[in-house]
Structure formats: C-alpha cells, structure tokens
Amino acid sequence: MASASPLPPIKELLPSLKGSPVTRYQSDFTRDIFVKQIHSHNDYWRDVPLYTALSYGVQSVEADVWHFEDDEVLYVGHHEAALGPQRTLASLYIDPLVQILSQANPENKFTSEQKKPNGVFDTWSSATLYLFIDVKTKGNETWPYVENALQPLLEKGWLTQFNGTDIVPGPVTVIGTGNTPAEYVSSLSTRSFFVDGPLANLTDSTPYTLNPIASGSLAQLIGVDGADQIDIKGLNESQLGLLNETVTKAHSMGIMTRLWDVPWWPVEKRNQVWSQILAVGSDFLNADDLELASEFLS
Ligand SMILES: *[C@@H]1O[C@H](CO)[C@@H](O)[C@H](O)[C@H]1NC(C)=O
Ligand SMILES: *[C@@H]1O[C@H](CO)[C@@H](O)[C@H](O)[C@H]1NC(C)=O
Ligand SMILES: *[C@@H]1O[C@H](CO)[C@@H](O)[C@H](O)[C@H]1NC(C)=O
Ligand SMILES: *[C@@H]1O[C@H](CO)[C@@H](O)[C@H](O)[C@H]1NC(C)=O
Ligand SMILES: *[C@@H]1O[C@H](CO)[C@@H](O)[C@H](O)[C@H]1NC(C)=O
C-alpha cells in the first residue's frame, strides 16, 4: 500500500482547511452563540429583524401584526405609517425560520433515528425560540390569518403544541399578545399557540398550558405611575418585595415572567433595577438594545 504524503506542520495545514466542505461543521448557523433569556422588544425595528436577535442568542422575539380587510397578508410594523408590502409576518419571520430550521434538521441517514427536531440554537438544540405575535388589529378577525401564516412551521412539526393535557416542546413557541383572542385560544382542546399571561392577575383561568409566559409592567406591579418614578438607587425594599412576590407566584404556577416598562437610563438606575429583576429570578429581560442586554447577562 502506497503511503500518503506526510502532513505539513499543523499551523500551515489549518488555514488551508478552513471552510473546506470536509471539515466545516455541518450545523454552524448559530455556532458559538449562547442562548440568553432576552426578549427582543419590537424586534422588527432592527435593520435585520430576527437574525440580529439570533446573533445575540436572544431567545424571544416580538412582531406586531396588522390585518386589513380583503387581504390575507399580515403586515409587520409598530403603526400604520410603518407598514409596507414587503414587510410581512411570512417574509420577516416565518420564511426565515423555515429556512434556518430546515438547515438545522437535515434529512439523511445520520438523522433518521432522531426523535425530536433541533431548534435554532446550535449550542442548545432543544431550546425553543419564543415568537411573540402582538395582534394590533381586531383579535377575532386577525387570528385566523395568524394561524394560516404559521402553517409552514406547523406542517414540519416545528411548533410547540398543547396536546390537550400538556405542553409538548418544539423549536418555536408562538405566544399571542396584544389583541390575541385569549378566550378563543383557551377554548381549543389542542393547539400550536399560546397566550401571553397577565402577570399582575394570574388565576386558575391562566394555567401555564395557556400562558407559559406572563408579562407585566414593572411600574404597575410595584405601584408607581412610570419607570421614571423609580429611585436612582433602584427599587426600595417594599417594591422589591412586591416584585419578588409576583414572580414567585408565577413560578409556583409553572409560568415564566417578562417585565416591561423597565428603566433604561440613567445607567446607574438601569443596572441596579436589572440586577434586582434578575435577583428575584424573572426569566426574560425585555430589551430594546440587544447588545447592551446581552453584555449585561454575560
Ligand atoms: C371573539 O369571539 C369570542 C367567541 O368566539 C367572543 O366570546 C368574544 O367576545 C369575541 N371578542 C371580540 C372582541 O369580538
Ligand atoms: C401530552 O403530552 C404529555 C407530555 O409529553 C404526555 O404525557 C401525554 O400523554 C400527552 N397526551 C396526549 C393526549 O397525547
Ligand atoms: C387586574 O385585575 C384588576 C381587577 O380585575 C383590574 O382592575 C386590573 O386592571 C388588572 N390589572 C392588569 C395589569 O391587568
Ligand atoms: C418605597 O417607595 C414607595 C413609593 O415611593 C413608598 O410608598 C414606600 O413607602 C417605600 N418603601 C420603603 C420601605 O421605603
Ligand atoms: C424573595 O422571597 C423569598 C421568600 O419568599 C426569599 O427567600 C428571597 O430571598 C426573596 N428574594 C429577594 C431578591 O428578595
């Protein structure tokens, strides 16, 4: 048997192998990105929605959707003037997710025995991505189009399900918020979407199987009129106690928590309040600046 030519020194070999199809890691779309419990508030405002969030390991994104009469398309934007024909729920979120998840779940002889699909994060493939759909137009009229838009993900088996008794996790978990018709959603015996729970008002009619996450205004929870009324030194003892109580109650019901109306400025106040939010164990940091939030959590 002829011997192969000897290998060059490894330092010379490495650059020549970089990017080679033989050595390139197969599922490297989100390689080296660690999952962080950050909620990308108004995600569609970023230059590149969804992808920017994923590049920071953000586990939760939010799209505001609008429906108009005699139109099956759902448009994405903060208010009417920001809407355009190209920016739709399908083009900004559903289609890219189908592409990313198709790449993360190749069908071949190596994967044929795999029971559960991989999620979008390569470093934690069982982590779900929360997709908040904030319904801006009438809930009952808009929701059927949301269900329609979710079909490509549903058909592939990539949505977290409620099977009648329990949650069966999948790569993407859809959480309706805003005008989402909560009564209608809770009336379904099985479904592939959930509702954002009222963090301030959790009761027996808001089980985790309907509301896996609950959200609330921090200012409202601690009884002040706005985040600007929170002291520069952060929450005082009684405010922290109220926050702790609310988060603890949600957790005892199996519900994760997200707070909005959180101060961003000045820095001293922001850092103090964020630390307090994390200290009581709240799950998602609501963020407009993903880089900042991601650094805070590292
Ligand atoms: C939506 O429909 C449900 C029943 O399907 C009804 O109970 C509810 O009042 C309706 N909501 C609105 C805002 O029309
Ligand atoms: C629902 O899912 C749970 C958890 O995976 C499982 O134990 C239960 O049997 C499932 N129920 C149905 C009706 O499939
Ligand atoms: C909680 O419920 C009370 C009484 O039903 C209501 O006054 C209050 O606005 C609710 N708070 C939130 C945040 O929904
Ligand atoms: C915390 O601040 C609130 C609102 O300003 C106030 O009502 C409360 O008495 C303060 N509690 C303590 C322990 O300082
Ligand atoms: C929250 O409350 C629990 C007990 O109810 C306590 O053990 C814990 O230290 C509190 N956390 C904070 C940050 O105050």
Side-chain angles (χ1 to χ4, degrees):
M1 205 167 111
S3 64
S5 53
L7 284 168
I10 199 159
K11 280 187 181 162
E12 285 168 32
L13 182 64
L14 269 181
S16 71
L17 284 180
K18 211 169 170 189
S20 144
V22 180
T23 55
R24 184 180 159 177
Y25 192 57
Q26 279 299 320
S27 59
D28 65 358
F29 180 68
T30 53
R31 186 175 65 167
D32 296 340
I33 297 173
F34 291 93
V35 185
K36 298 202 178 79
Q37 287 188 302
I38 298 172
H39 175 79
S40 177
H41 181 232
N42 292 336
D43 181 69
Y44 50 84
W45 266 342
R46 306 191 205 294
D47 286 343
V48 187
L50 180 65
Y51 294 100
T52 309
L54 295 181
S55 76
Y56 286 107
V58 162
Q59 209 194 344
S60 179
V61 296
E62 172 190 319
D64 289 3
V65 303
W66 300 74
H67 169 254
F68 297 93
E69 223 176 314
D70 301 325
D71 192 343
E72 296 194 353
V73 175
L74 287 174
Y75 299 92
V76 171
H78 195 54
H79 50 77
E80 283 98 329
L83 304 180
Q86 311 289 332
R87 295 174 60 87
T88 71
L89 184 61
S91 71
L92 294 183
Y93 291 93
I94 309 299
D95 296 347
L97 282 171
V98 168
Q99 193 186 2
I100 293 165
L101 288 168
S102 299
Q103 199 170 310
N105 292 286
E107 285 173 32
N108 57 38
K109 68 175 179 180
F110 304 109
T111 61
S112 61
E113 299 290 308
Q114 195 177 337
K115 298 255 178 336
K116 287 189 173 165
N118 295 317
V120 299
F121 298 106
D122 200 47
T123 52
W124 183 14
S125 62
S126 64
T128 196
L129 174 75
Y130 292 96
L131 173 60
F132 276 72
I133 298 188
D134 187 342
V135 176
K136 292 296 182 187
T137 40
K138 284 189 182 146
N140 283 0
E141 286 168 25
T142 309
W143 196 257
Y145 296 97
V146 173
E147 288 190 43
N148 206 25
L150 295 174
Q151 276 301 316
L153 288 168
L154 182 63
E155 280 163 16
K156 293 282 196 175
W158 290 336
L159 292 180
T160 296
Q161 305 279 325
F162 172 61
N163 71 3
T165 52
D166 226 323
I167 291 180
V168 183
V172 177
T173 303
V174 174
I175 311 271
T177 186
N179 292 338
T180 294
E183 270 179 55
Y184 161 74
V185 175
S186 76
S187 74
L188 300 171
S189 53
T190 61
R191 53 187 153 71
S192 46
F193 37 81
F194 302 82
V195 179
D196 190 14
L199 183 55
N201 283 354
L202 295 176
T203 64
D204 288 346
S205 57
T206 60
Y208 78 94
T209 49
L210 177 64
N211 306 119
I213 300 185
S215 307
S217 146
L218 173 67
Q220 202 179 11
L221 284 175
I222 60 167
V224 298
D225 286 337
D228 56 337
Q229 297 195 11
I230 295 171
D231 192 84
I232 183 91
K233 299 269 180 250
L235 308 182
N236 68 26
E237 208 175 308
S238 42
Q239 292 169 334
L240 186 62
L242 281 172
L243 178 64
N244 193 9
E245 210 176 287
T246 306
V247 170
T248 304
K249 178 180 174 191
H251 287 170
S252 74
M253 297 172 72
I255 296 173
M256 293 193 290
T257 60
R258 173 177 72 105
L259 297 160
W260 40 270
D261 224 352
V262 169
W264 276 83
W265 189 87
V267 174
E268 182 188 352
K269 175 160 150 182
R270 177 190 73 214
N271 289 350
Q272 180 59 14
V273 176
W274 281 16
S275 303
Q276 290 176 313
I277 288 174
L278 297 177
V280 300
S282 184
D283 301 278
F284 286 92
L285 204 48
N286 204 56
D288 288 290
D289 184 333
L290 299 179
E291 190 178 0
L292 189 69
S294 146
E295 277 168 14
F296 194 85
L297 289 186
S298 339

